[in-house]
């Protein structure tokens, strides 16, 4: 039976020990989660039992914050490499999508196309690639560079990188492999395409040593909210992870992105906007607020101030009164969109530095609801029906309890309201998202005659 | 109960549809194996049921041969990315070691250290890294270079690369992670080590965003047989995959490597030499020979000649009479050791070009036995007890039949002779190989005080 109307898409943003930065200290939290595959498997299975579209992994090729007195109090300095982790999760799940972040700045398109293409084969069509350009100088220092590339250069390189990756995935036509034991012909050499890409960023001959992925291309995800990021998203992305604090902000972003997508001649409905969303949910609002208060008490001031500095491009808050107002923040070359969201939040709610970091440490600029299941579901429905979102990247405060509360209390409510599936109807991530399987793109390949 | 004496180590060299290049055409062969995880899982479980030390995956970041009229007749132009594949296999196995090839020439130490470290965590201590320098120009063209690096440069880069990887794995001391919910201290910053490596090849600050791997370092494997390759192996390797046609060749290699290892002040017994070995085994020698004849009939001349050209550094055999003798081959910059083995084989057995490619297409220069289980086991025992090998990297002609014949017929015989384990006594790859877990190396780290 077809769904009667447009439905929500849900991702589980699977971050370390939970999205509350002090969440690992909660009595029932799995503090050993970062290196423990068994726990990731348990969480992914729970997301699949709740019919989530996908699990989503962030990534860094560095320890992003190096303010050690604060960082030693957090769990995010060590994470499993996402392609390896998702390849293992592909074995213990059957339907849920598997999306990993991959940087275009400190990697090579041949490696990235291989890894995500392999994940798509291993999972039989459930891979997604969250394309990021990386905004952390600590990452540059691990790859022989003194400083990270400038914002505009990163995005130009990213656009070329994605083109190359697509060209590599198209190396063999879908029907190239005959596997004909009688004639001894394994593949039709006339269906092999040599990319031979050359531009200022990359020189890549191909072919990729991989059959075309089951989904054609893994689902392309993008998260940059800057002007350059939105342009890249409008041209290439199929899912957009956004950061918005309020519905008006979300509506403005949503309308802008859909217009840019249409401006590229693409179907705006085939691009899904999924803001991050931090829910603290309990049977009653009072209980949810109690849980939140417990978590906030576990937050050490060093951690809050360090995170705030990190998210504002390294701004040094130490000369300022922590209980005074937020000073004017200079423009930065990193995380431009998030910086604006954070500054707007402080101004709008007239928050002190301390109040701001207490808010940021929780959801890092994403929207948040602390309340009953009805209140959480109402918020999601309002954004979904009000032109702010096609779905949400759900950021549980803790694992397992914070996520279990969402799947036990909120998901059934969304399902009863007809907003979310009660069973998967397809088998690939493209199926879940209602995205078409892309045919091989026509480009200047050297086609070989057989 | 301790084994009464030194025992064999066995690896399964898991190559595509089998090591006979036309093996995919056999009636019972799995022609779809290259992209089918389910088949890899079945084969790995069979190897584990037979108590193999490890499965082993080769790798290329390219389609290595581009003589398309020949290559279209083979299955090796597409392979799953090894780290992703082994991460998935880690979930469906419990004890067997998981060794992947990783190039030091077209990758970055931070990426490689992360991937293999993650595999070691996912598998709870079963990862191994086969360190190769890559000898194929087709790979260079996928990474923006006109030609591959010269042999000596590749090995200098490799030595530095391995040093950096070890330094990155040592970023956190084994006991750095306190996970102390009460104090809120997750790790002891005094047990964090900043590598800050700088040399002509790499500038890598660290730390790696990963706990120290369960094995300390993944097991380090090396396969180069050239002088530079042997030097690298003597300094760094714990397992050496070698290529030898005859016992005297194997003995000479074994003695040379063990002497070089001792010359580095290392324990020669703690480095395991495992030549490749291609067994075609059946209940009787006549049946084995019949099977081999069937496989050889499936070998197309285009494929044989193309492979011979590839393995001799691109030498063009077309001007020569295919039924005449092998011409003098010029020295090459790639695969030096294998070239010598091939040329010696042709000279020793007075083979024509055709006879040579028929031999090479089978085992690519590695030793081979076509015979009964007793004959295969006798060969292995002779090499093992005669100072030619500590074990073998087994190269079945086909999957599944060629490998099942080995596990059903040969493994029980080796076990009855007391040469091979009947159950795993440990849980990590280091346990299986009798290798110590390396402590963190003292080097010029910047240690932070807490």
């Amino acid at each position: 039976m077809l769904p009667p109307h447009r439905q929500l898409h849900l991702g589980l943003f699977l971050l370390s020990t939970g999205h509350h930065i002090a969440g690992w200290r909660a009595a029932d939290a799995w503090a050993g989660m970062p290196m423990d595959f068994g726990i990731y498997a348990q969480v992914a299975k729970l997301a699949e039992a709740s019919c989530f579209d996908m699990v989503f992994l962030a990534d860094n090729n560095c320890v992003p914050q190096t303010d050690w007195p604060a960082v030693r109090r957090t769990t995010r300095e060590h994470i499993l490499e996402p392609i390896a982790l998702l390849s293992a999760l592909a074995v213990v799940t059957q339907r849920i999508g598997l999306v990993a972040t991959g940087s275009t700045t400190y990697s090579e398109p041949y490696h990235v196309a291989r890894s995500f293409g392999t994940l798509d084969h291993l999972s039989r069509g459930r891979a997604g690639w969250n394309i990021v350009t990386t905004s952390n100088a600590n990452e540059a220092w691990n790859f022989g560079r003194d400083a990270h590339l400038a914002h505009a250069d990163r995005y130009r390189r990213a656009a070329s990188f994605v083109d190359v990756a697509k060209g590599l995935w198209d190396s063999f036509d879908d029907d190239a492999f005959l596997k004909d034991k009688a004639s001894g012909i394994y593949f039709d050499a006339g269906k092999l395409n040599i990319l031979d890409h050359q531009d200022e960023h990359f020189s890549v001959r191909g072919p990729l040593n991989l059959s075309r992925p089951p989904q054609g291309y893994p689902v392309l995800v993008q998260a940059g909210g800057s002007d350059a990021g939105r342009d890249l998203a409008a041209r290439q992305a199929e899912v957009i992870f956004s950061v918005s604090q309020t519905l008006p902000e979300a509506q403005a972003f949503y309308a802008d992105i859909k217009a840019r997508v249409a401006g590229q001649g693409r179907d705006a409905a085939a691009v899904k906007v999924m803001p991050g969303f931090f829910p603290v949910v309990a049977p009653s609002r009072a209980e949810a607020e109690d849980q939140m208060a417990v978590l906030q008490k576990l937050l050490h001031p060093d951690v809050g101030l360090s995170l705030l500095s990190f998210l504002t491009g390294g701004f040094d808050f130490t000369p300022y009164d922590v209980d005074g107002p937020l000073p004017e923040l200079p423009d930065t070359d990193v995380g431009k969109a998030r910086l604006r969201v954070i500054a707007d939040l402080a101004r709008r709610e007239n928050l002190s530095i301390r109040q701001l970091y207490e808010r940021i440490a929780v959801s890092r600029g994403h929207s948040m609801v602390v309340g009953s299941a009805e209140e959480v579901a109402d918020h999601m429905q309002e954004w979904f029906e009000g032109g702010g979102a096609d779905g949400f990247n759900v950021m549980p405060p803790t694992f397992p309890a914070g996520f279990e509360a969402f799947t036990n209390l909120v998901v059934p409510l969304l399902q009863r309201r007809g907003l979310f599936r009660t069973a998967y109807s397809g088998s690939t991530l493209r199926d879940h998202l209602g995205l078409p399987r892309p045919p091989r793109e026509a480009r200047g390949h050297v086609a070989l005659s057989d």
Side-chain angles (χ1 to χ4, degrees), chain A:
Chain A
M1 196 180 76
L2 289 171
H5 52 75
R6 173 174 164 259
Q7 291 213 322
L8 270 173
H9 299 286
L10 293 182
L12 167 62
F13 189 163
L14 195 46
L15 181 72
S16 188
T17 50
H19 286 265
H20 193 289
I21 200 164
W24 70 272
R25 298 181 64 188
D28 55 358
W30 286 323
M33 181 167 178
M35 295 288 113
D36 189 334
F37 172 70
I39 292 178
Y40 282 102
Q42 201 170 327
V43 171
K45 285 180 195 174
L46 178 57
E48 184 169 73
S50 298
C51 302
F52 272 55
D53 294 69
M54 66 188 89
V55 295
F56 168 79
L57 294 174
D59 195 40
N60 292 290
N61 281 297
C62 63
V63 177
Q65 292 181 254
T66 54
D67 174 9
W68 302 116
V71 175
R72 68 183 174 142
R73 297 180 172 279
T74 69
T75 63
R76 293 167 193 173
E77 68 295 320
H78 66 165
I79 55 175
L80 295 170
E81 192 282 323
I83 290 287
L85 175 54
L86 291 186
S87 297
L89 288 176
V91 177
V92 298
T93 57
Q94 283 74 47
R95 305 293 278 276
I96 195 164
L98 304 164
V99 180
T101 296
S103 169
T104 56
T105 299
Y106 300 109
S107 54
E108 292 281 341
Y110 202 92
H111 289 309
V112 169
R114 269 192 94 189
S115 293
F116 281 90
T118 295
L119 178 62
D120 207 44
H121 279 287
L122 287 171
S123 64
R124 298 182 185 275
R126 296 187 282 138
W129 172 26
N130 179 41
I131 305 156
V132 302
T133 66
T134 303
S135 55
N136 194 304
N138 287 303
E139 192 150 334
W141 295 336
N142 289 329
F143 296 91
R145 301 190 203 181
D146 289 338
H148 59 84
L149 288 176
H151 191 269
D153 292 338
R154 293 204 310 272
Y155 274 92
R156 277 196 297 273
R157 181 181 158 105
S160 172
F161 195 113
V162 175
D163 280 344
V164 173
K166 285 179 160 184
L168 289 171
W169 288 320
D170 286 344
S171 292
F172 292 95
D173 289 359
D174 286 313
D175 59 352
F177 288 91
L178 309 175
K179 304 174 192 173
D180 181 6
K181 290 186 176 185
S183 71
I185 305 290
Y186 195 71
F187 70 91
D188 179 348
K191 294 185 171 175
L192 167 67
N193 312 288
I194 307 289
L195 178 62
D196 212 9
H197 177 100
Q198 309 260 358
D199 68 13
E200 59 179 311
H201 303 285
F202 302 108
S203 166
V204 180
R205 179 154 170 80
L208 187 64
N209 52 356
L210 203 65
S211 301
R212 195 156 189 265
Q215 294 186 107
Y217 312 137
V219 172
L220 299 180
V221 181
Q222 222 273 333
S226 69
D227 201 56
R230 292 184 195 204
D231 266 354
L232 181 65
R235 274 184 289 115
Q236 299 279 23
E238 299 172 298
V239 172
I240 295 168
F241 287 148
S242 56
V243 49
S244 301
Q245 271 282 320
T246 66
L247 179 53
E249 273 178 29
Q251 288 164 329
F253 179 84
Y254 188 97
D256 178 66
I257 277 286
K258 297 275 177 163
R260 288 179 194 236
V261 169
Q264 294 287 335
R266 301 176 63 202
D267 175 11
V271 175
K272 309 300 179 188
V273 176
M274 299 174 66
F277 175 55
F278 180 97
V280 180
V281 62
S284 71
R285 186 201 289 201
E287 289 162 278
E289 286 176 344
D290 285 351
Q291 286 180 14
M292 185 65 177
V294 168
L295 288 174
Q296 292 291 59
K297 267 190 205 139
L298 298 173
L299 173 61
H300 194 280
D302 286 355
V303 175
L305 221 47
S306 171
L307 184 64
L308 187 59
S309 175
F310 175 68
L311 291 176
T312 54
F315 189 83
D316 180 10
F317 291 93
T318 52
Y320 299 91
D321 177 6
V322 75
D323 293 307
L326 190 72
E328 193 65 36
L329 301 177
D331 196 21
T332 76
D333 198 45
V334 301
K336 288 169 179 287
R338 194 198 302 264
L339 176 70
R340 194 171 49 244
V341 168
I342 290 172
D344 288 353
L345 166 67
R347 213 164 294 120
R348 187 173 59 243
E349 304 195 16
N350 198 27
L351 302 177
S352 68
I353 293 175
R354 187 194 305 275
Q355 288 167 326
L356 181 61
Y357 79 59
E358 284 182 347
R359 286 284 290 277
I360 294 303
V362 173
S363 65
R364 303 191 308 288
H366 292 279
S367 75
M368 163 171 87
V369 172
V370 180
S372 69
E374 284 72 19
E375 289 169 317
V376 170
D378 288 351
H379 170 96
M380 296 173 78
Q381 184 165 3
E382 187 187 6
W383 282 43
F384 176 63
E385 294 179 346
D390 296 311
F392 297 91
N393 205 14
V394 177
M395 302 162 57
T398 58
F399 290 108
F403 185 47
E404 286 169 350
F406 186 86
T407 58
N408 289 339
L409 300 174
V410 180
V411 170
L413 207 51
L414 296 172
Q415 290 169 330
R416 281 203 296 277
R417 294 182 186 181
L419 295 170
F420 190 61
R421 70 174 71 83
T422 55
Y424 292 105
S425 57
S427 64
T428 71
L429 178 54
R430 290 188 176 278
D431 291 340
H432 308 335
L433 293 166
L435 298 174
R437 182 181 187 279
R440 179 166 78 77
E441 280 186 8
R443 62 173 80 69
H445 285 199
V446 180
L448 297 162
S449 63
D450 193 12

